[in-house]
Every structure is written in C-alpha cells, then in structure tokens.
Amino acid sequence: MKINFWLNGAKKEAEISPDIMLLEFLRSLGCYSVKRGCETANCGLCTVLVNDKPMLSCSVLAARIDGKKVTTMEGLQAEAEEFGTFLANEGAEQCGFCNPGFIMNVLAMTKELEDPTEEEIKEYLAGNLCRCSGFVGQTRSILKYLECKKNGNIQEKEVQA
C-alpha cells in the first residue's frame, strides 16, 4: 500500500506492507533514534511525535501515518541537544539507552503543558522507563530546563567538564 506523510519536515511517499509497525518502518528510513525496547507499549523508548503528539511507534501500524506529520529526534536535533545538556549536567543520562524516547516526551510536554508542576511532569512522563536511575536527576534536569526556558536564558547552560 502507498502512503504519503511528512518525516522531520520532508514530504515522503512510500510503498509499505500493511502490517509493518511504525517502529520498523522509521528505522528502515534511517531514523535510528527510534529504539526498540519492550515492544509492548510500556517503556517509551520508541516514542515519536505524530502531528506533534507523542506516540509509541512499536504499537502503531505505519499505515496510520498516511497524511500525517511524523517527527523523530533526527528532526529535533537542536532542541534535543539543548535539553540533553541539562540531562548531562544533572548526571541523568546514565547509559543513555532510554534518552531518545524520554527526550521526545519532554519536548512534547513543553509544547503541551504551560508551566507544569513537578507532579504534572511525573504524570506526563510516567510511561518512560529507565533501569539506571530513580528519575531524580531527570526530574531535576527538566525543572532546571523549564526554568531556563521561562527566563529566556537557555543558552547559558553548557555541559560541565
């Protein structure tokens, strides 16, 4: 079946098998930030944005993106790097395997929630699993990131050596 969609801002057309999952399809297009984790929609590693909303690509057929806008971390490099700096500064990157899905959800949250509380942040990110940490560093990094964005001094944050 033929689908038309936008991937990271570029219009695309593809011939796909009707049963291919979005995760597999995106990886076949070189979007390697989309990670395979649990394949049961429980860990958040495969998160992408579809029409600016987070979606677990391991549980969605690629056919569902026909006519839609899909964004992976490859399409959000500047924003991902910006927030990733805060993760690194708080020692929250650990092994880094969960970071792409986590970062995608954080970036989606910043567009969806205005000035979220710590409790709202935890609720929004509840579907992201990290086996390396207890999310203390991640939460700290999000709060600092949001504060810097609010104050307009995001560029002042740099990874500490």
Side-chain angles (χ1 to χ4, degrees):
M1 83 186 295
K2 188 177 288 193
I3 60 170
N4 293 287
F5 59 101
W6 289 263
L7 178 59
N8 299 323
K11 186 149 179 59
K12 302 277 186 181
E13 181 178 282
E15 188 69 37
I16 63 166
S17 170
D19 64 347
I20 189 169
M21 300 308 285
L22 182 55
L23 167 74
E24 289 299 323
F25 178 60
L26 292 173
R27 288 184 63 81
S28 76
L29 296 175
C31 297
Y32 299 118
S33 69
V34 185
K35 303 272 182 94
R36 178 184 325 292
C38 67
E39 294 189 66
T40 60
N42 286 306
C43 72
L45 266 69
C46 66
T47 302
V48 298
L49 304 181
V50 177
N51 289 344
D52 295 324
K53 298 289 183 197
M55 184 174 282
L56 299 171
S57 63
C58 75
S59 62
V60 175
L61 291 170
R64 299 247 345 250
I65 65 166
D66 188 36
K68 296 184 177 157
K69 181 177 79 168
V70 179
T71 309
T72 66
M73 191 178 303
E74 286 83 358
L76 295 172
Q77 283 298 301
E79 297 94 331
E81 186 177 325
E82 185 177 84
F83 175 65
T85 300
F86 285 80
L87 279 173
N89 284 341
E90 294 303 317
E93 75 280 359
Q94 301 288 323
C95 80
F97 192 69
C98 66
N99 283 1
F102 183 76
I103 290 171
M104 291 300 290
N105 274 307
V106 168
L107 296 178
M109 180 191 70
T110 63
K111 293 176 181 154
E112 195 172 321
L113 302 180
E114 187 175 320
D115 201 21
T117 64
E118 187 171 337
E119 201 54 43
E120 288 172 317
I121 292 167
K122 288 178 181 176
E123 184 178 322
Y124 196 95
L125 301 172
N128 288 89
L129 299 181
C130 173
R131 290 183 171 91
C132 296
S133 74
F135 291 100
V136 174
Q138 284 97 333
T139 303
R140 241 187 354 255
S141 67
I142 293 167
L143 292 170
K144 287 182 179 181
Y145 174 69
L146 292 174
E147 185 64 28
C148 284
K149 276 183 72 91
K150 188 161 106 177
N151 294 333
N153 62 351
I154 198 90
Q155 62 275 24
E156 291 180 15
K157 288 291 185 187
E158 292 185 24
V159 176
Q160 299 167 359

